Amino acid sequence: IKPNIKAGKMTSITYPLEAIAAATTDKAKFETIFPLLRDEMIEHMKQNEMPEEACEWAKRMMDYTVPGGKLNRGVTVIAVQRTLVQANEGRELTDLEVARASVLGWAVEFLQAFFLVADDVMDDSQTRRGQPCWYKLAEVGNIAINDSFLLESFCFTMIKKHFGMEPYYGRLLELFLEVVQQTEFGQLLDLTSQPAGSDKIDLSRFTLERYKLIVKYKTAFYTFYLSVAIGMITSGVTDPEAYSLSKEICCIIGEYFQIQDDYLDCYGDPEVIGKVGTDIQDNKCSWLVVQALERVDAEQKKLLEENYGQWDDEKVKKVKDLYGELGLEQVFKEYEEASYERIQKGLEKVELMPKEVFELLLKKIYKRSK
């Protein structure tokens, strides 16, 4: 039990410490906290005069949209926290520290759910995590847009409830607000990488410069930097230089991660990655098409323009065959090695905080197949 002292009033939060102690993996420990947070959000709604049907809707929506993924971002918060405590204090995390790190990990997962629910509506996606997208359910439809806003607001409610009394509360809030905005900047760049309302595909907008900006803002900040910065804030790191360096390294790791994602979308096994890749059909500013555009001759460029961004299996095959002709699988493998070396070189400069934090992230994604 952690006393929550605020405005002269004491309330207490009972974390499932026995279940955490009994769980053998970080993911299993992490999962014990979700029901507590979900039920707290429902209780919060009741305190705000929400009737039973609204509370039931929100409960079902959270169960459907939040816990179903790989949970890598949330579990990483625990791993980063542990790495910092081991390096700075030479000890393991207590069960209470695991519980509280898990709350912040779930705040990241609620943000992720907010982005994905909204993203699926914008992209007209059909499935997510092996089931129909939330908005595709007959009774949901466009209500999903408001549901995504709810998920975002719950993230801030849980941070306030569990960390409102901490001296670093303001810095946590600023971090989450900054990362939400950065991710939305990235989404804007992604959504506007083709002219709106036009059937004509303008491949000239698919530049490496634009691609790197989309990745940095849409992926790297909330997938890598957020988890690391949370651990830094709660561990008492205050040096601005340490945060700048972390951001820089997380952006390189984030770029590497997204390029892997783009590669797997085209070449990954759908059975392994859990989805059928559709970047070509969706006219995405993917690393592969950007690399292709830097290598094509006039005839190959014409073939790309005629076949990219269309839901036609024959045309998709022509694009994939062109990628093969251009040797993009080999280009990716060379990029992967060069990126890994670049990140390792960056880690040699890390002195302001334990470099194990970044090695942990890199180990999770190097040469992954899903």
Side-chain angles (χ1 to χ4, degrees):
I1 296 176
K2 174 84 179 176
N4 180 353
I5 304 160
K6 189 161 175 269
K9 185 172 86 179
M10 183 184 263
T11 58
S12 60
I13 297 166
T14 306
Y15 295 103
L17 300 183
E18 283 181 14
I20 288 172
T24 53
T25 65
D26 276 356
K27 189 178 179 190
K29 290 175 191 291
F30 183 66
E31 286 173 326
T32 65
I33 297 291
F34 175 73
L36 166 75
L37 296 173
R38 179 201 60 209
D39 295 348
E40 283 179 348
M41 295 309 102
I42 298 303
E43 191 50 44
H44 177 72
M45 289 179 74
K46 288 176 181 171
Q47 288 167 5
N48 280 275
E49 301 181 75
M50 289 296 99
E52 194 58 40
E53 68 176 276
C55 295
E56 273 304 312
W57 177 279
K59 182 174 187 289
R60 180 179 169 224
M61 181 269 293
M62 284 186 272
D63 284 339
Y64 195 94
T65 61
V66 180
K70 295 192 286 280
L71 307 178
N72 280 343
R73 292 167 182 83
V75 174
T76 298
V77 176
I78 302 175
V80 168
Q81 194 97 345
R82 178 183 295 112
T83 305
L84 287 169
V85 165
Q86 282 171 338
N88 297 334
E89 301 174 38
R91 65 176 180 83
E92 291 299 317
L93 291 177
T94 65
D95 291 335
L96 179 59
E97 285 170 331
V98 170
R100 284 169 60 70
S102 296
V103 172
L104 291 170
W106 279 111
V108 178
E109 291 293 339
F110 269 74
L111 265 197
Q112 158 85 335
F114 152 53
F115 294 139
L116 296 184
V117 169
D119 198 45
D120 286 342
V121 177
M122 289 181 250
D123 286 351
D124 200 20
S125 300
Q126 302 302 303
T127 60
R128 167 73 64 188
R129 296 167 173 171
Q131 61 184 8
C133 298
W134 176 243
Y135 86 96
K136 292 301 286 184
L137 301 189
E139 67 277 25
V140 179
N142 281 344
I143 300 171
I145 298 168
N146 190 64
D147 288 338
S148 76
F149 301 159
L150 273 179
L151 290 165
E152 182 197 22
S153 71
F154 287 156
C155 163
F156 292 100
T157 304
M158 63 185 70
I159 294 172
K160 183 178 181 182
K161 182 172 177 65
H162 291 258
F163 294 89
M165 68 300 200
E166 297 290 354
Y168 52 71
Y169 171 60
R171 294 178 53 222
L172 269 182
L173 269 192
E174 271 184 20
L175 171 68
F176 272 84
L177 288 166
E178 177 191 24
V179 169
V180 168
Q181 188 177 70
Q182 285 165 331
T183 308
E184 289 163 354
F185 286 164
Q187 178 71 341
L188 175 67
L189 284 175
D190 195 14
L191 292 169
T192 56
S193 60
Q194 287 294 287
S198 166
D199 289 338
K200 191 157 167 47
I201 289 167
D202 180 5
L203 294 179
S204 68
R205 295 162 81 117
F206 289 165
T207 63
L208 192 57
E209 183 185 27
R210 186 184 190 97
Y211 176 80
K212 287 186 170 198
L213 266 182
I214 292 172
V215 170
K216 180 178 179 179
Y217 281 85
K218 189 178 173 180
T219 301
F221 284 124
Y222 95 95
T223 302
F224 295 99
Y225 178 64
L226 181 55
S227 299
V228 171
I230 287 169
M232 290 169 72
I233 288 171
T234 56
S235 302
V237 178
T238 54
D239 186 342
E241 220 180 302
Y243 286 92
S244 294
L245 182 64
S246 293
K247 198 174 271 190
E248 191 184 318
I249 295 171
C250 285
C251 283
I252 299 170
I253 294 175
E255 184 183 294
Y256 170 46
F257 174 82
Q258 187 57 51
I259 290 171
Q260 281 179 317
D261 232 37
D262 291 356
Y263 173 83
L264 290 171
D265 186 272
C266 184
Y267 294 108
D269 178 350
E271 290 294 314
V272 177
I273 60 176
K275 62 177 182 180
V276 176
T278 58
D279 282 358
I280 294 171
Q281 296 92 314
D282 287 335
N283 195 20
K284 285 283 182 189
C285 182
S286 153
W287 184 76
L288 291 166
V289 75
V290 168
Q291 293 301 316
L293 287 165
E294 289 191 347
R295 291 168 169 76
V296 288
D297 59 28
E299 196 178 322
Q300 290 170 322
K301 187 175 182 189
K302 187 167 182 288
L303 184 144
L304 253 188
E305 283 170 341
E306 287 169 359
N307 294 283
Y308 198 76
Q310 295 176 59
W311 285 85
D312 177 325
D313 290 348
E314 273 302 302
K315 293 187 172 187
V316 171
K317 185 177 182 309
K318 283 181 185 171
V319 174
K320 287 192 176 184
D321 289 347
L322 177 61
Y323 288 173
E325 270 175 56
L326 297 169
L328 293 191
E329 280 194 75
Q330 188 54 36
V331 173
F332 169 76
K333 288 182 171 61
E334 285 164 15
Y335 165 83
E336 185 163 49
E337 290 307 321
S339 258
Y340 187 74
E341 281 176 36
R342 184 173 154 220
I343 294 164
Q344 293 289 18
K345 281 208 171 76
L347 292 184
E348 284 166 21
K349 294 185 220 156
V350 176
E351 288 170 3
L352 292 163
M353 62 181 289
K355 63 178 69 164
E356 292 89 343
V357 168
F358 304 106
E359 286 165 353
L360 168 100
L361 297 179
L362 198 51
K363 201 167 108 187
K364 276 180 185 260
I365 65 166
Y366 185 52
K367 296 206 165 174
R368 69 194 172 99
S369 61
K370 62 178 181 178

